[in-house]
Amino acid sequence: MSQMPPNGVKNPLLELQDVMFVGSGKELLARTNLTLGSGGRTVIMGPNGAGKSLLMRLAHGLLQPSQGRIVAGGNGSAFPRQAMVFQRPVLLRRSTIANVTHALALNGVPRRLRRPLAEQSLERFGLANHSHRPARTLSGGEQQRLALARAWAIEPGILFLDEPSAALDPAATKAVEDAVNAFHANGTKIVMTTHDLGQARRLADDVVFMCCGRVMEHTAAARFFEAPATAAAATFLRGELVLDVPAPGCSTQ
Amino acid sequence: MNSHDPFTLALSLILSGDPGLFGIIQLSLQVSLSAVFVASLIGLPLGAAIALFRFPGRGLVITLLNALMGLPPVVAGLLVYLSLSRAGPLGQFGLLFTPTAMVIAQTLLVLPIIAALTRQAIEDLWEEYREQLQSMGSGRVRAIPTLLWDARITLTTAVLAGFGRASAEVGAVLIVGGNIEGVTRVMTTAIALETSKGDLALALALGLVLLTLVAAVNATAYLLGQMSRSRMQ
């Protein structure tokens, strides 16, 4: 089992230490140790029900682990500012720009700075013309761009994305991938899940492969797609998408 | 047409701007709007807090609140009467048979409606917003103003329902107000009195005004509902 990060992680940003999660009496995430380094784009892969979203929600702090803890990397440093983009964006019943200014307000940005920052962010994602439209009247692709703009405005240290383009057409998917790269270029750590192998190949610097509620391996992307360390990952990559039953190799861990 | 026809008389009372009639209408609106204002001030945050926080006895509080939505006005009136009467705990303030007493009684009637409907609306919205708001760093307390604003259309409907209840009830204001002409006589108590006295014209005029008011409130609530479905989802 190779849960070790690829080549050792140089600048740990977030560490999951012996994290376990139990829900309604079932172990949904087996004991996990995972170090997320700063900078790169980590893609979490695996079949449905593998626990990808769960792992991400634990790392982001939306769920509290049943055991273990999540610490900011580098001894005693503060948690980086975080944002998350969901598969289906939850937008406030307000104007497009108010969605961004509200996120800024929650992050303690002074009132006079919110509007200009929000405008810059909307401009960046091609939504400047829609500033005053009710956010929920935007199209699906525009709504996801607004979710990205909302995250962009607060300049997160880590951006989590949970299958951000699963419900989108190719053009909107391209926009999401461009955005991910823009965040990355800006120094934001990316942690995302996707079911799209092509997307994972295009974006990943390192891959966390999960199966049946465990992290099977954490491997540099180039190596993962060439020669994954686990049988389950190899099966998964061959396209034998095992959706309901455990993939071979899961249970041996 | 016979000029003694009560319907004609009623219309002429309204159209001539009869000061007695309009004094009654004005007091009715003052009392009911004040009650709705106070009940909203308490009921909106209270309903939101019950929606967001878990505490022992929460289920009981919600059941009680829902049950109190149907509190009979005469019972509310009686309770306030007992509290405000000379021998009662609040007797020293001499509020019985004043408009203030009527506001208190109607607040008691309207508060459960606004709080219960708010609780339901905010709980549904929180279900939808929770992850997103937590992700943006909002705790439950900070989420309350966010959720109240985002549920504004539903909550306006709740407040209108409260206003409909307050302006149409007769039992509570009759008991604590006493239907004193020029002091505590409102539309509903006046209708009850004038009808029993046989002055059908004034009763009918007030009835028409009241009916129009209630229709307008319901039309507004309906339009808001339509708006929330189409534009804001």
Side-chain angles (χ1 to χ4, degrees):
Chain A
M1 169 163 134
S2 65
Q3 281 202 14
M4 292 320 292
N7 315 320
V9 173
K10 284 180 286 280
N11 301 306
L13 192 62
L14 212 57
E15 286 180 51
L16 282 72
Q17 298 178 345
D18 296 319
V19 167
M20 229 185 103
F21 188 82
V22 179
S24 20
K26 274 169 63 179
E27 185 187 89
L28 299 175
L29 183 73
R31 188 171 303 280
T32 296
N33 283 288
L34 187 69
T35 303
L36 299 170
S38 44
R41 293 160 296 181
T42 301
V43 173
I44 306 174
M45 300 184 72
N48 284 339
K52 306 185 293 293
S53 294
L54 177 61
L55 182 71
M56 202 148 66
R57 279 166 172 74
L58 286 162
H60 184 28
L62 291 180
L63 291 172
Q64 295 306 310
S66 310
Q67 277 181 39
R69 56 188 201 137
I70 291 137
V71 297
N75 299 323
S77 56
F79 274 94
R81 198 179 261 192
Q82 305 181 16
M84 182 153 173
V85 171
F86 297 87
Q87 181 177 340
R88 291 177 53 85
V90 178
L91 299 177
L92 302 181
R93 288 159 170 77
R94 306 179 183 196
S95 68
T96 300
I97 191 159
N99 266 276
V100 184
T101 52
H102 189 72
L104 289 165
L106 289 177
N107 276 277
V109 175
R111 185 177 290 275
R112 66 196 160 76
L113 296 176
R114 289 176 205 159
R115 213 171 173 84
L117 283 172
E119 277 165 1
Q120 281 171 29
S121 199
L122 290 179
E123 180 77 47
R124 172 75 188 67
F125 288 90
L127 292 168
N129 291 334
H130 300 310
S131 294
H132 299 289
R133 263 176 68 184
R136 291 178 169 243
T137 63
L138 298 173
S139 73
E142 286 164 345
Q143 292 201 11
Q144 196 58 298
R145 276 186 356 243
L146 174 53
L148 288 159
R150 181 164 65 180
W152 181 268
I154 67 162
E155 299 180 350
I158 303 185
L159 177 65
F160 295 93
L161 304 101
D162 191 6
E163 301 191 27
S165 59
L168 301 179
D169 66 22
T173 299
K174 172 83 165 54
V176 169
E177 290 183 15
D178 289 348
V180 167
N181 286 327
F183 274 99
H184 175 57
N186 233 25
T188 299
K189 166 74 185 170
I190 302 289
V191 181
M192 70 183 286
T193 63
T194 180
H195 271 124
D196 179 345
L197 274 175
Q199 183 170 68
R201 284 178 197 273
R202 286 192 292 277
L203 295 178
D205 293 314
D206 55 295
V207 173
V208 173
F209 182 75
M210 296 185 73
C211 193
C212 317
R214 357 179 128 250
V215 172
M216 306 294 289
E217 58 177 295
H218 183 191
T219 317
R223 223 187 98 212
F224 179 81
F225 291 113
E226 274 308 304
T230 54
T235 312
F236 180 79
L237 285 175
R238 275 199 305 274
E240 295 168 24
L241 288 164
V242 207
L243 298 181
D244 299 325
V245 289
C250 281
S251 52
T252 65
Q253 287 288 324
Chain B
M1 193 184 260
N2 180 357
S3 66
H4 295 295
D5 170 24
F7 195 76
T8 317
L9 279 171
L11 282 181
S12 70
L13 271 178
I14 296 172
L15 296 176
S16 67
D18 181 72
L21 176 79
F22 280 87
I24 293 173
I25 296 172
Q26 196 192 347
L27 182 64
S28 300
L29 290 177
Q30 266 173 16
V31 168
S32 295
L33 287 174
S34 305
V36 169
F37 179 74
V38 176
S40 302
L41 223 54
I42 304 169
L44 292 173
L46 179 69
I50 296 171
L52 292 187
F53 292 100
R54 299 288 172 270
F55 51 88
R58 179 173 180 271
L60 193 70
V61 170
I62 291 172
T63 311
L64 198 66
L65 218 48
N66 288 340
L68 284 177
M69 285 173 78
L71 179 68
V74 284
V75 176
L78 180 61
L79 291 175
V80 175
Y81 182 93
L82 291 174
S83 313
L84 297 184
S85 67
R86 273 178 199 271
L90 302 173
Q92 70 207 54
F93 299 110
L95 290 175
L96 203 58
F97 306 129
T98 65
T100 309
M102 297 154 77
V103 171
I104 294 172
Q106 289 202 339
T107 302
L108 203 64
L109 279 179
V110 174
L111 180 60
I113 296 177
I114 294 181
L117 294 177
T118 301
R119 199 274 307 166
Q120 187 63 58
I122 296 298
E123 205 165 296
D124 292 348
L125 199 59
W126 177 239
E127 181 71 23
E128 182 191 340
Y129 279 13
R130 173 162 51 197
E131 280 204 322
Q132 184 66 58
L133 288 180
Q134 284 179 345
S135 168
M136 296 197 292
S138 173
R140 285 172 193 250
V141 173
R142 178 61 185 84
I144 289 179
T146 306
L147 292 164
L148 285 176
W149 178 249
D150 274 46
R152 57 196 176 276
I153 292 179
T154 317
L155 296 183
T156 307
T157 317
V159 170
L160 286 174
F163 179 69
R165 168 104 159 140
S167 54
E169 71 87 19
V170 56
V173 280
L174 186 61
I175 293 178
V176 304
N179 195 24
I180 304 163
E181 186 170 9
V183 185
T184 59
R185 181 163 300 172
V186 291
M187 286 194 271
T188 53
T189 56
I191 291 172
L193 178 73
E194 301 305 333
T195 306
S196 65
K197 273 179 22 189
D199 186 352
L200 296 180
L202 184 54
L204 204 54
L206 288 165
L208 282 173
V209 173
L210 194 55
L211 208 59
T212 312
L213 190 68
V214 171
V217 166
N218 280 293
T220 311
Y222 174 77
L223 287 175
L224 283 171
Q226 290 299 99
M227 200 170 116
S228 70
R229 258 187 290 281
S230 62
R231 255 183 93 246
M232 313 292 287
Q233 293 182 22

